[in-house]
Amino acid sequence: MHHAAYVFDAYGTLFDVHAAVRRHAGEIGPDGQQLSEIWRAKQLEYSWVRTLMGAYADFWQLTEQALDFALRKVPSVDPALRDRLLEAYWQLDCYPEVPAVLKALKASGAKLAILSNGSPEMLQAAAKSAALDQILDDVFSVDEIRRFKTDPSVYDMVVTAWRLYPGAVSFQSSNRWDVAGATKFGFRTVWINRTNQPDEYQDLPPGLILPSLEGLLAGG
């Protein structure tokens, strides 16, 4: 089923959030996966807590703060790696299928965008690094409204800018909580369940569950 617009979460959906730690795996040692998982978990936790408090700080600040916590939590990792890990976050690897899928959707006549918690600078750097900047029509950052997902005003940025009904938008995210928020807003949602996680938020189900973005080209 073709949609007028395909909107993608960035981190974990288009870009591999664990690529920064993996790039320095040799220096980090055996606790790299633990470090990366804590870094990601705290990055998200800080976004939710700050939205609830009404105390916005941009996503880059939260990324730095989350890494600082992770380094303290995993003391086996040399804190001198901090700056290199943060630098690597600006050029995260995209998942292998991403460029071809986005190009094919673009060729079908659909509009394409990123809708992300990331700061504008982070998203522009990531899109350029992965050569996606020439494919996308828009990059929507929550920085414009100073509230993070899953606040409904985040998803509303797309329909307001593009003058579309929510049902005309197919929203793809690897984050099940993000899919729940977008489903509640009225988007058609696709959960990109890359790591075969169990389902949750069962009262707000996705329209489709796929292991990667490739399924979008098969009528997904």
Side-chain angles (χ1 to χ4, degrees):
M1 182 178 179
H2 182 73
H3 285 75
Y6 290 82
V7 177
F8 301 86
D9 170 60
Y11 298 113
T13 305
L14 299 180
F15 307 112
D16 184 351
V17 294
H18 300 294
V21 168
R22 199 164 52 243
R23 198 169 298 174
H24 297 285
E27 297 166 278
I28 291 171
D31 294 330
Q33 182 176 349
Q34 181 188 11
L35 178 81
S36 193
E37 289 175 355
I38 293 172
W39 186 6
R40 175 61 171 167
K42 284 296 177 179
Q43 182 193 50
L44 294 174
E45 178 189 321
Y46 296 164
S47 73
W48 299 327
V49 171
R50 284 189 169 274
T51 292
L52 287 168
M53 291 192 301
Y56 181 80
D58 75 37
F59 204 58
W60 182 245
Q61 294 178 65
L62 305 190
T63 300
E64 292 180 304
Q65 293 166 11
L67 177 57
D68 290 338
F69 176 85
L71 287 168
R72 292 194 298 271
K73 188 72 173 177
V74 188
S76 61
V77 178
D78 184 356
L81 291 169
R82 179 186 188 272
D83 289 348
R84 277 181 281 172
L85 287 168
L86 288 171
E87 182 180 354
Y89 212 92
W90 288 87
Q91 296 181 322
L92 294 175
D93 300 330
C94 70
Y95 290 99
E97 83 279 10
V98 168
V101 170
L102 266 60
K103 287 177 183 176
L105 291 174
K106 182 77 169 179
S108 75
K111 297 189 74 170
L112 305 181
I114 285 173
L115 175 63
S116 173
N117 281 340
S119 70
E121 296 80 11
M122 291 174 72
L123 296 172
Q124 289 162 10
K128 185 174 182 179
S129 177
L132 303 181
D133 52 326
Q134 300 302 311
I135 307 172
L136 296 163
D137 294 288
D138 269 310
V139 176
F140 296 100
S141 166
V142 302
D143 202 55
E144 180 180 333
I145 59 171
R146 299 176 68 82
R147 297 185 69 79
F148 292 105
K149 297 174 179 177
T150 57
D151 191 290
S153 60
V154 174
Y155 308 105
D156 188 64
M157 287 196 293
V158 174
V159 296
T160 297
W162 284 359
R163 298 183 180 181
L164 292 173
Y165 289 109
V169 176
S170 180
F171 179 75
Q172 290 65 228
S173 179
S174 65
N175 300 300
R176 185 61 180 88
W177 51 268
D178 191 12
V179 169
T183 298
K184 179 67 166 59
F185 180 75
F187 285 161
R188 180 267 196 164
T189 53
V190 182
W191 180 25
I192 308 302
N193 189 5
R194 294 187 180 277
T195 55
N196 197 29
Q197 295 295 308
D199 196 15
E200 51 189 337
Y201 304 104
Q202 294 185 8
D203 59 323
L204 295 166
L208 186 65
I209 302 173
L210 296 173
S212 77
L213 293 171
E214 288 179 313
L216 294 174
L217 302 184

